[in-house]
Amino acid sequence: MADNKRDYYEVLGVDKSASEDELKKAYRKAAKKYHPDLNPGDEVAEKNFKEVNEAYEVLSDSEKRARYDQFGHAGVDPNFGAGGGYGGAGFDGFGDFGDLGDIFSSFFGGGFGGASRRNPNAPRRGNDTAATVNLSFEEAAKGCKKTVKVTKIESCKECGGSGAEKGSSPKTCPVCHGSGQVTAAQRTPFGVIQTQKVCDHCKGSGKIIDKPCRTCAGKGRIRHTVEQTVDIPAGIDDGQVINLRGGGDAGINGGPSGDLRINVNVRPHPIFERDGFDVYCEIPITFTQAALGDEITVPTLDGKVKFQIHEGTQPGDEFKLRGKGIQRLNYSGKGDQYVKITVEVPKDLSKSQKEKLKEFDKATDDKNYKKRKSFMDKVKNFFD
């Protein structure tokens, strides 16, 4: 039940005034923390991971967020009848207020704001559904095809969505004549007032099914899990959402299907880090390579490339490989790759190696260490 769920803002650890960027950052942080790949066999982490995805799926959608802010979980949970645009009794014509709602309806023609009761036979859009796809760093950068499992509601193939057994069809309710509502006279201190109520004979559907379909129990729709192939565009990033129009729950009475929102999780890479469409990495080199220069091998998303580092390369020096970054999403061209140099100081030296280093140190002077000379001059001037 939705009333047992935690507040979505609490789940993501943000305030209700959080911006889209703040929501996205909070989602990425929480999703990585509870990701199944990083917590194998941890049922609590798996539960939290699903909770985080559910919270972000709602709060990242401006319409759903507005409904959630106004009505809480009932505004977005289809179990409350409100997930598809307030289609449930709780918000449609004072459905949960009994006769009081009917009295207001007689005066104002419906619920809050004068809205009329929903026609039970009118087409209605299906609810959106959500799924999660896990990608490697390379798959996100280059694009790929993925198969995800989606649990959604579809029209019953056995009865064609009618809810009636093959060879039969639903009949118009003889009591409400298909409106799903009946009008009754109600005596009050103000006189006799006409009120509208849900038809008890057809339970508000406007139809009577004498022989319900055995597959869907007369509902015309069934919930099941299907496999969906998804085209992952090159350049997609962690935390982004792919929207597949019409991939959600089937509509009602011929209404359009909802959308399928696929939340993207990208696993960290052991070498590369991403910033927008640029890629960053660090490469360790030896002291000798740094001092004399050398041709080194640099890993990129497109394979290995050769790069000549200059003589006297310093720790922290950075060079750019133009066009070796990530494909720009929905645009032509790629970002760049930035390579930062780290100079590794040798450890566990033998006696002979230490002696040679001492000889080398004696053979150098201040002209070989300009930064050190400049620093020592500043220290001398400071104390003088």
Side-chain angles (χ1 to χ4, degrees):
M1 294 297 290
D3 55 357
N4 292 327
K5 293 182 179 179
R6 284 204 298 155
D7 178 76
Y8 286 151
Y9 292 101
E10 178 187 339
V11 171
L12 295 179
V14 296
D15 296 329
K16 286 191 175 182
S17 59
S19 65
E20 290 184 9
D21 287 340
E22 289 172 333
L23 283 173
K24 183 181 292 186
K25 289 180 181 178
Y27 167 72
R28 289 181 178 181
K29 181 179 179 181
K32 286 184 178 180
K33 179 179 179 181
Y34 298 118
H35 199 286
D37 289 349
L38 302 178
N39 302 274
D42 189 334
E43 295 182 359
V44 175
E46 182 179 357
K47 179 182 177 181
N48 290 335
F49 182 71
K50 292 179 180 178
E51 188 179 42
V52 165
N53 277 307
E54 180 181 328
Y56 184 69
E57 192 272 330
V58 170
L59 297 183
S60 62
D61 185 305
S62 58
E63 293 183 6
K64 290 184 179 181
R65 183 176 180 179
R67 295 205 301 266
Y68 178 74
D69 288 344
Q70 186 172 6
F71 301 110
H73 292 291
V76 293
D77 192 330
N79 292 326
F80 276 70
Y86 314 109
F91 300 108
D92 192 4
F94 289 90
D96 285 341
F97 293 92
D99 292 339
L100 177 61
D102 292 323
I103 293 173
F104 270 83
S105 179
S106 67
F107 282 112
F108 303 110
F112 293 105
S116 59
R117 286 180 179 273
R118 182 186 296 277
N119 179 358
N121 297 316
R124 278 187 283 168
R125 181 181 183 275
N127 292 324
D128 293 340
T129 56
T132 299
V133 63
N134 298 312
L135 306 175
S136 68
F137 192 93
E138 293 91 332
E139 288 174 331
K142 294 180 174 295
C144 63
K145 288 184 181 291
K146 281 287 184 177
T147 301
V148 296
K149 290 186 177 181
V150 183
T151 299
K152 62 180 181 177
I153 296 174
E154 292 188 339
S155 295
C156 176
K157 295 180 180 179
E158 184 67 22
C159 65
S162 69
E165 193 176 276
K166 278 187 176 181
S168 65
S169 60
K171 299 177 181 178
T172 300
C173 175
V175 176
C176 67
H177 306 291
S179 69
Q181 305 164 19
V182 292
T183 302
Q186 190 172 13
R187 189 175 298 278
T188 73
F190 304 102
V192 177
I193 297 177
Q194 284 190 333
T195 61
Q196 287 184 325
K197 295 183 177 181
V198 174
C199 176
D200 291 332
H201 192 62
C202 66
K203 307 301 181 185
S205 69
K207 299 176 182 178
I208 298 296
I209 300 177
D210 294 327
K211 296 181 179 180
C213 171
R214 296 179 181 179
T215 302
C216 64
K219 295 179 180 179
R221 307 198 304 167
I222 55 175
R223 181 183 293 276
H224 64 151
T225 300
V226 298
E227 289 190 341
Q228 174 80 46
T229 300
V230 183
D231 287 319
I232 307 297
I236 197 76
D237 202 356
D238 183 55
Q240 291 185 321
V241 177
I242 300 172
N243 192 71
L244 297 183
R245 191 173 298 279
D249 288 347
I252 300 174
N253 298 328
S257 297
D259 297 339
L260 171 59
R261 296 172 59 83
I262 300 178
N263 300 298
V264 176
N265 289 322
V266 181
R267 293 189 292 271
H269 196 277
I271 298 175
F272 302 120
E273 289 188 4
R274 176 175 179 172
D275 184 7
F277 299 106
D278 293 332
V279 173
Y280 291 78
C281 71
E282 289 188 0
I283 295 184
I285 62 174
T286 67
F287 169 79
T288 304
Q289 287 177 306
L292 302 180
D294 195 10
E295 184 180 75
I296 63 173
T297 300
V298 180
T300 74
L301 290 171
D302 298 323
K304 298 177 181 179
V305 298
K306 298 292 185 179
F307 186 83
Q308 182 68 42
I309 57 174
H310 60 79
E311 181 179 318
T313 294
Q314 299 297 309
D317 280 358
E318 188 174 80
F319 59 86
K320 179 171 69 174
L321 299 177
R322 190 176 299 278
K324 291 298 182 180
I326 293 173
Q327 173 67 47
R328 299 184 184 277
L329 186 63
N330 299 324
Y331 291 94
S332 60
K334 293 183 178 182
D336 302 321
Q337 178 169 329
Y338 293 87
V339 181
K340 184 178 181 180
I341 295 296
T342 61
V343 178
E344 185 175 6
V345 177
K347 295 181 179 180
D348 303 322
L349 298 174
S350 66
K351 183 178 180 181
S352 174
Q353 290 170 330
K354 291 178 181 179
E355 291 297 328
K356 290 179 181 179
L357 275 180
K358 289 178 181 178
E359 290 178 10
F360 170 78
D361 189 54
K362 290 178 181 179
T364 59
D365 54 32
D366 286 345
K367 71 177 183 180
N368 302 117
Y369 297 102
K370 294 180 180 180
K371 287 185 179 180
R372 185 179 70 175
K373 181 180 183 303
S374 175
F375 176 76
M376 296 306 296
D377 288 342
K378 292 176 182 178
V379 172
K380 181 179 179 182
N381 292 334
F382 175 76
F383 286 105
D384 288 345

